[in-house]
Amino acid sequence: MRKAKKWIPAALLIITGASFIYPLYWMITMSLKNAGEIYTNPFGFPKLWDLNNYAEALASHPFFKYMYNSLVYTVCTAVITVLIGSMLAFAVSRMNWRYAKAALTYITMGLIIPAQVTLIPLYKMVDSMGIKETKLALILPYVAFQLASCVLMLNAFLRGIPHELEEAACLDGCNVYQCFFRVIFPVVKPALATQIVLISIHVWNEFPLALVLGAKENMRPLTVGLLDFFVSIGSADWGIIGAAMIMTSIPICILYCIGNKQIENALTAGAVLK
């Protein structure tokens, strides 16, 4: 009976993990099959690996250009959000000023506003600012919508750091900026790494704002580029579709694997520091 109780949670975890892994397996195997085998052997392992699907997908659409645009949006959004969010979280959590709680409440309200309901005001605002057909038209809204969650997470992390660190830094002659960048900023590496990964995943996969504000050919990220690709290809050749999905998913999967390890190491370092 005891052995059964031990095996039940393990079996549930295996089934749950398989349910997450199987769609990725199906997408990979589909990208390696020709058009005929996809219908005769839709779920099995490919009998003959066909890499022509990747070549045809790259030849039909400029995926590298879309990937470059997505990379610019992701990197710029993550860097700006983490930099501004960490400074704002430091101000509301570590500094004594009158409207700190009111500022935190105002920032929290950003979590309850869906980005989709702001599309028309955002479009008009971007147009009035003169950045309608530039990459800033997407980067600035991305930063605004990611800032609330970033500040709240870093605020919770900063509240657990002893104030003695800042006091010791002040005794050594550090001002508030030196204290933040040289003392506090390195300590919050776990939260920063987590935020970079989460922000990158969200921006890389974001679609509604990108469709409205980044639909121009030279501004399209991968999500909008994939929509155009699916419309032009249709549902006739699932092998090319699978190849396109694999190519667009690989960069963010690599980032998650790298970021996951960095988060684990930073958390261990933070525990030793405390």
Side-chain angles (χ1 to χ4, degrees):
M1 188 65 180
R2 292 181 179 179
K3 291 183 178 180
K5 289 182 178 180
K6 292 181 179 179
W7 279 104
I8 289 175
L12 291 176
L13 290 175
I14 292 173
I15 294 173
T16 304
S19 65
F20 284 105
I21 294 175
Y22 183 77
L24 180 61
Y25 159 80
W26 182 74
M27 189 166 60
I28 294 174
T29 55
M30 183 175 65
S31 69
L32 297 173
K33 298 175 182 178
N34 56 41
E37 189 179 357
I38 289 176
Y39 293 100
T40 58
N41 181 28
F43 304 109
F45 203 75
K47 298 177 181 178
L48 181 63
W49 289 23
D50 187 4
L51 298 178
N52 290 329
N53 293 327
Y54 291 89
E56 292 181 18
L58 290 174
S60 61
H61 272 69
F63 279 103
F64 287 118
K65 183 177 181 180
Y66 298 152
M67 193 173 297
Y68 170 77
N69 290 337
S70 290
L71 185 64
V72 171
Y73 295 138
T74 301
V75 172
C76 292
T77 302
V79 171
I80 296 173
T81 304
V82 167
L83 182 61
I84 297 177
S86 60
M87 291 189 290
L88 187 52
F90 178 79
V92 298
S93 63
R94 312 292 290 185
M95 301 176 67
N96 296 322
W97 51 293
R98 185 175 181 179
Y99 299 105
K101 292 184 179 180
L104 186 60
T105 303
Y106 178 76
I107 296 168
T108 305
M109 293 176 63
L111 293 174
I112 63 176
I113 302 176
Q116 291 79 4
V117 302
T118 65
L119 286 176
I120 295 177
L122 269 177
Y123 185 85
K124 292 184 177 179
M125 187 180 300
V126 166
D127 189 24
S128 64
M129 293 173 64
I131 58 174
K132 180 180 177 182
E133 296 182 351
T134 66
K135 288 183 170 59
L136 286 176
L138 274 175
I139 293 174
L140 294 181
Y142 283 162
V143 171
F145 284 109
Q146 294 298 313
L147 199 58
S149 60
C150 179
V151 171
L152 289 178
M153 180 178 178
L154 293 177
N155 172 66
F157 195 89
L158 286 169
R159 285 185 298 178
I161 298 176
H163 286 276
E164 287 77 11
L165 288 176
E166 296 158 271
E167 294 173 359
C170 292
L171 290 175
D172 289 337
C174 290
N175 56 35
V176 63
Y177 301 103
Q178 292 173 329
C179 181
F180 172 73
F181 285 106
R182 294 185 179 182
V183 179
I184 300 299
F185 198 80
V187 174
V188 296
K189 282 182 179 180
L192 295 177
T194 302
Q195 276 300 310
I196 288 174
V197 173
L198 294 178
I199 292 171
S200 299
I201 293 174
H202 182 274
V203 174
W204 192 270
N205 296 321
E206 200 279 328
F207 179 73
L209 289 179
L211 180 63
V212 175
L213 301 176
K216 191 177 179 182
E217 178 67 26
N218 63 340
M219 289 178 54
R220 288 179 183 175
L222 275 171
T223 50
V224 181
L226 276 175
L227 174 64
D228 183 64
F229 173 78
F230 293 152
V231 171
S232 62
I233 293 296
S235 59
D237 199 334
W238 287 98
I240 299 178
I241 294 175
M245 291 190 295
I246 288 295
M247 288 188 295
T248 56
S249 302
I250 286 176
I252 203 66
C253 290
I254 294 175
L255 175 65
Y256 179 80
C257 293
I258 296 174
N260 186 36
K261 186 64 177 178
Q262 290 179 345
I263 292 170
E264 181 182 348
N265 293 337
L267 283 170
T268 305
V272 173
L273 179 61
K274 290 184 178 181

